[in-house]
Amino acid sequence: MRSRSFGYAASEPPRLNLLRIEEYLSAAHLRLSRVYVECLPYADVIKRYDSAGTFFYIDPPYWNSEDDYGKGIFGKDDFSLLAEQLGGIKGTFLL
C-alpha cells in the first residue's frame, strides 16, 4: 500500500459509528475466524489449501504492472502458470 485510502459517498453519512465499534469488531472476528492469510508464493498456497470446499480470492497484478507488488514477486510468465494451475484445482476461485 503506497498511501492510505478512504471510501466515501457524498449522498450518505459515514457508516462508522463509534458507539457500535465493539459490535463491528465482534462481527469482523466471527466473519474472519476461518480465514487464512498466508505470506507464501501463490502456487504454494493453492497447492497447500486446494480442496473441493476451498475458495481462493486471487488478485495478481495487472499486465505490465508486475513489479507493483514488489520486484521479482510476480512476472509475465506467472500469468500462464497461474492459469494452468487454476485450471486443475478442486476448489473454486475469483480472479
Side-chain angles (χ1 to χ4, degrees), residues 19-49:
L19 297 174
R20 299 183 70 189
I21 193 77
E22 187 176 350
E23 181 183 333
Y24 296 154
L25 290 173
S26 180
H29 167 75
L30 292 173
R31 176 72 176 96
L32 296 173
S33 66
R34 296 190 63 217
V35 171
Y36 291 97
V37 177
E38 291 277 10
C39 184
L40 293 171
Y42 69 87
D44 296 341
V45 171
I46 294 169
K47 183 194 281 187
R48 177 181 288 184
Y49 293 104

